[in-house]
Structures are given as structure tokens and as C-alpha cells.
Amino acid sequence: MDKQTFFTSPVTSLGRTALRWVNELGAMVLFLLRAFLMIFHPKQFPTIIQQVYFIGARSAMIVMFVGLFTGMVLGLQLFHTLVKFGSAGVLGTAVALSLVRELGPVLTAIMITARAGSSMAAEIGIQRVSEQIDALDTMRIDPLRYLVSPRIAASIISFPLLTAFFDLIGILGGFITGVMLMGLNAGTYFHHVRTGVEMEDVTGGFVKAMVFAVLVSVICCFQGYYTHLRRDSYGAKAVGLSTTSAVVMSCVLILVADYVVTSLLL
Amino acid sequence: MVLDQVDLTIYEGEITTIIGKSGSGKSVLLKHIVGLLAPDEGTILFRGQPVQKMSRSERDRTFSQISYMFQNNALFDSMTVFENIALPLRQTTSLSQKAIEERVTARMEQMELVNVAQNYPSELSGGMQKRVALSRALVIDPKMVLFDEPTTGQDVIRRNAILGMIAQYQRRFGFTAVLISHDVPDVFFISNRILALSDGKIIFQGTPRQFEDFEHPLIDEFVQSLEDFQEHLTGIQSKRQFRVRNQMDLRRKGPQDSYVVASFTLQDFDQLCEHLGHTRGQEVLNAMGAYLNKHFGAVGGFSARQSKNQFTTFLPFSNLSEAERILKTFALDLQKEGLRTIQAEAHISQDICFPFAILAGLAESKAGAEEIDLVFKKAEVSQREIARVYCEIRR
């Protein structure tokens, strides 16, 4: 074996980390492909509906609440900025475009990661450490099909819908601050919202939401599913660390993917 | 290395019990059989076919006939008892919702779980959780069931009830059962074969009878660790203790000194268990063991449970005519008081009464004249009914 030196040691360590990342990425892609193909299994429908309720319906309130205040802050900040340039009238366009193109998909995805993604990772992690996943295997129920596929499908359905809610409530938030508090004309606000936002902005926002849906659901399920393979801890602690990793990785990758998708769309 | 050069055969339609100390590789062996783990080397054959060489569909077909009951039950804690039991049927069969409900309800009735159908596993006692796991394992009517310590954490009555239930279902459905159990000697009464595992190696394969005669330091150590091989259920001596003690007594006797062996059978025990539940069945056995002990202990006799529903009493200081008198008194007492006591101790009221009989037989021999097993057999053959429970017929 080659002797490690002061100079080669960091390189070796970097190489090892890179290899681990590449391996994990490969495993995650295979995990996604296998789980995605099983979405279309005939017995999936009821489980997907359950997951849409959990990921989508039960996240709606918090997403709309965040959307309202994001829109209100945007309305307030942009109004003061636009007034300086004498173009306060285009507040509607500025708020709507910011929300539909960027903030809506990104903040919705981050909120769902915090609420549903963490719970996905923890739930699957606990099922792994308490042998419930092994029990599924022994019952000839594919755990990927039963646990992961419905969550991916439900995320793909829920993320764009919640993003739409976020955008809509956010625009109303902008209306509250821009029109009701700062005195901008209501007709002007909505006119600029309607004329400023084009269909491709909305489509782009939904594309991002779907990309984030796949990322968040796969990362969270993957972290939970392979909790038992963690080298840094076991049992309940491993579940905790997997949940943390899932949330951190999801949030970081949402922002990275946002940049990549935006650059492809523009 | 957890398992090393393990070579074993599981016989179809039989109950094979794997025993061994903690960490000897029992659960790992079972996980290899069910396909949760793959061996680093070696082959697992299923009906002569190597599992590793099977196609995916063949393997799925093979493993779909096998159920596995986990040591910690592995129940889905966010699902109710009903949903847990119904899960394999819902996910792996095309049965209608009604058919699934009927099948699950029938299984829950057999396992006395109907009252907790809508409860979550965390709301149940350890014993009930075990029964839920057992119901889930049996609901698909498997050809082979692997039980990883199914009786862990149970009291002695419940433990024997679970073992009795496994034996009963095994006979009824004809599946092959592989058990990991520490419940020596209780598990011997239901097992056809015993496998002893130590440090990842098989040190014994054979029948329970062969196991009792098997001399090996590890077996002795294992048996010692299990509280001296006591018969926990009936409170009477284990077969091994019984043998040692009667050998000692026989050695002390002269060649012309006689002794008597009495054999007792609780007739229709399976039907009794089915009718009253396995727990009550075990309580009846328990009470009967205590009753035998009380009576025959007074005349220097000692008893052991020979099989699931049979007891043998050794009377070292009696000849046949004396033993017949003792048995006659015992039979009268049993019919007059004993059966009522046994029923009361097993919590059997007239409302749920089930008629059953107790048979007894005697055999006399002289020390060193013949093999003790032969005398046991003679006593068994000469059995006749000595007492019977009659139930009131309600109109």
C-alpha cells in the first residue's frame, strides 16, 4: 500500500469523499428509477391518495400562511423601491413575477421539506430500524413500491398545486400591503399582474416545482430507507441524523436545482 | 463469521426447532432461509432447487409461500391491528375487500383479537402484539412459517398456549414450521426435530428424544442456563430430571424389587384447546400437573410431562396391587373434587364447559428387568378412562 504523506493525504481524503458522493448519487438515481417505475403498479392508487393528503392537503395551511407574508413583504419592499424610480404602478408585475418564477416554487419546496420531507425520512427510518421494512420484504411487498413510490407520486402532484396556492396567496399579500396599506390603485395592481405574467412564467414555475418534488421526495426517502447503513450512528440516533441530512440536503439542492433549471428555462 | 459450514435439512410438514445461546447465529440462519440475507458462500436449496439460481419470478413464487414472524414482531405501528393483519392480503393478492375482511376476522377470532381490531400495536400488551404478528404470518396460509422466538416475553401459560397454537395450526394447515425458541423443554412437545446451534455451527440435528440423550458440554451449558431444564408449565419434573431420578431409584433397588409406572392422558386436548382457547387448555394442563404432584408425591411418587397432553408418574415404592388401590382412590377423588378444582383453576365455568376425559394406565416391572421406556409404553397401552367432565345441557 502507498505510504500517505503530508501532501498526498488531503488528496486521498478528497478523492475518497468524491467517490462516496458519486456512489451515493448513483445509488440515489437507481433508487429513483426503480421507485418511479413502480408508481404505475395497480395497487398504488389508494396509497398515493393518502400521501397526497399528508404531503399536500396537510401542508396547505402553512404554505399559504408563508405565501401571504412573503407577498406582503415583497409588496412593501418593492413598493418603496419602485417609488424611487417613479414606477410604483408596476408593483403587481414585480410581485407576481417574483412569486411565480422564483419564490413560489422555492419557498413552497422548502416549507414542504420542513413539514413533510422530514417526516418522510423519520418515518421510513424508524420503519427500517424496527425491521418493518424487512417485514415487508418477507411478505413479498416491495418496500420501494409500498413506501417510496407513493411518496414520489404524491410529491409530484402536490408540489405544483401548493406552489399555485403560494403564488395566489402571495399576490393577495402584495395587494394587502401595496394597495390597502400603501394606497396603490387596486385596478392598476391587478392589471399589471395579468399583463405582466405570461403562461411560460407559470409553466416554468411548475416545472421547477416538479423538479423540487422529485428531489425532495427522493432525498428524504433515500435517507430514511438507508438509515441502517449509516456509519456514524445506529438506531434512534441514526434516524435523527438521517432526518437532519435529508432536510439539509433537500434545502441545499433545491437552491442548486433552482439555478440550473432557471438557466435552462431562460 | 456468524455462520460457519452450516449444513442442515428442514423436513416438509414438520416442526423444526432451532435452539442455541444468544448470539449463536439463530436469527441470521432464519434470515438466510427467508431470503433477507444472502450467504457469502454455499447454497440454499428449496425442494432441491438452488434459490440463488432461480429466476426472479421463480424466487418470488417460492418465497411467497414462506411467512416470517419477527422476534420484535415488526408490526406497523401506524396501522391498526386489523390493517396489520390485512396488509399482506391487500398488497399481494387480488381478493375482494369482503373476502379479505372475512379472512382477517376469522384469523382474529382464532387468536382472540377481535376486541382489539381497531387498536394500534402500541396500545396492546406484549403477548397480544405477538398474537397479532402470528395472525399476520398465518393469514396468507403459507406453506412454511419461520418463527423467530415467538414466545419471548410471555408468561408460562401464554408461552405454552402460543406453542400449542403453532402446533395446532401446523397440523391443521400442514405447513412446515421452523422455530427459534429457548423454551426448553416446552418446545420439545411440539417439535419433530431439534437443531442446536453453537458459535455458528450445527452441533446437533435430530429428534427431541435423541436430544435428551445427547451428551455435549455446550448442550449441558445451554440446558443449565435455562434454569435446570425445569418444566415451567406444570411445575412438575422435566423428563430429564425424571429419568435421572428414576435411574437413581432403580439403582438403589435390588433386582427383585418392583416399581410401578402410571401413565395419564388428557383426552381430546386439541379439541379442548380449540373450544376453550389455548390459554385455558394450558391452564388445564397446569392444574392437572399440580394435582398429580399433590396426590402421588404423598406416596413417594414423582411425575413428568411426557408429551403435549401426557404425564407419567413413577411410583418407586409400590407394587401393582398397591398402585391400583392408589389409582382407584385418585380416580374417585379426581371425579369428585379434582376435576372441579382443575376447571376452577383454569377458569372454566359451566357456560363455556367442554367435556373431556382423563385416562390412566399402570405397568409394573422390576429394577433392571427391562428398559424403562418399555414400561412407559406398557402403562400407556393399558390406559382406560378414570374421570370425565360432564357439562350441563342447557335448553
Side-chain angles (χ1 to χ4, degrees), chain A residues 62-265:
Chain A
I62 186 76
V63 165
M64 288 196 285
F65 188 74
V66 173
L68 179 72
F69 281 91
T70 307
M72 284 169 73
V73 170
L74 266 182
L76 213 55
Q77 288 282 13
L78 287 172
F79 182 83
H80 285 290
T81 311
L82 291 169
V83 161
K84 288 182 186 168
F85 300 101
S87 46
V90 295
L91 179 72
T93 306
V95 169
L97 279 182
S98 310
L99 285 168
V100 170
R101 281 181 169 186
E102 283 303 325
L103 293 175
V106 171
L107 289 180
T108 303
I110 288 173
M111 287 317 298
I112 302 177
T113 302
R115 211 201 74 83
S118 55
S119 120
M120 275 184 223
E123 193 179 331
I124 296 176
I126 287 170
Q127 288 183 328
R128 169 60 79 188
V129 297
S130 62
E131 291 186 311
Q132 291 174 38
I133 292 181
D134 288 341
L136 286 173
D137 265 323
T138 63
M139 288 186 255
R140 300 300 118 200
I141 303 170
D142 191 323
L144 276 186
R145 195 235 336 136
Y146 185 69
L147 297 173
V148 180
S149 300
R151 286 173 165 86
I152 294 177
S155 298
I156 293 172
I157 296 167
S158 305
F159 273 57
L161 285 173
L162 289 174
T163 302
F165 278 130
F166 187 100
D167 294 347
L168 197 69
I169 300 291
I171 290 169
L172 284 177
F175 173 82
I176 291 169
T177 45
V179 177
M180 293 168 75
L181 294 180
M182 309 311 292
L184 187 76
N185 182 277
T188 311
Y189 181 82
F190 282 118
H191 171 74
H192 279 97
V193 168
R194 205 175 62 241
T195 54
V197 180
E198 289 178 14
M199 196 55 208
E200 57 194 46
D201 299 318
V202 179
T203 318
F206 285 161
V207 168
K208 282 184 181 178
M210 281 196 268
V211 170
F212 299 157
V214 173
L215 271 179
V216 170
S217 54
V218 169
I219 291 168
C220 293
C221 291
F222 183 86
Q223 289 296 327
Y225 197 83
Y226 291 110
T227 294
H228 62 308
L229 298 183
R230 289 191 79 92
R231 282 182 235 162
D232 50 357
S233 56
Y234 299 95
K237 201 173 175 192
V239 175
L241 288 176
S242 292
T243 310
T244 309
S245 306
V247 172
V248 172
M249 271 176 80
S250 296
C251 292
V252 170
L253 285 177
I254 284 168
L255 297 174
V256 173
D258 184 40
Y259 171 76
V260 175
V261 177
T262 307
S263 62
L264 289 173
L265 288 173

Side-chain angles (χ1 to χ4, degrees), chain B residues 69-75 111 113 124-137 147-154 158 162 165:
Chain B
M69 191 178 145
F70 284 80
Q71 193 173 348
N72 67 357
N73 306 320
L75 294 172
M111 301 279 178
L113 289 168
L124 307 180
S125 66
M128 274 190 169
Q129 287 183 18
K130 277 271 178 246
R131 279 186 280 155
V132 177
L134 188 56
S135 306
R136 189 177 69 181
F147 300 90
D148 192 351
E149 301 196 22
T151 52
T152 307
Q154 306 292 312
R158 189 69 74 186
I162 289 174
M165 199 158 58

Side-chain angles (χ1 to χ4, degrees), chain B residues 119-185:
Chain B
N119 287 49
Y120 288 93
S122 58
E123 297 172 320
L124 307 180
S125 66
M128 274 190 169
Q129 287 183 18
K130 277 271 178 246
R131 279 186 280 155
V132 177
L134 188 56
S135 306
R136 189 177 69 181
L138 296 178
V139 78
I140 55 161
D141 296 336
K143 295 269 183 292
M144 183 177 188
V145 187
L146 311 177
F147 300 90
D148 192 351
E149 301 196 22
T151 52
T152 307
Q154 306 292 312
D155 61 59
V156 64
I157 297 283
R158 189 69 74 186
R159 208 161 67 196
N160 277 274
I162 289 174
L163 293 176
M165 199 158 58
I166 290 171
Q168 188 195 348
Y169 286 129
Q170 191 273 335
R171 269 195 310 277
R172 190 190 292 172
F173 302 117
F175 59 76
T176 306
V178 182
L179 266 98
I180 290 179
S181 182
H182 291 294
D183 301 328
V184 175

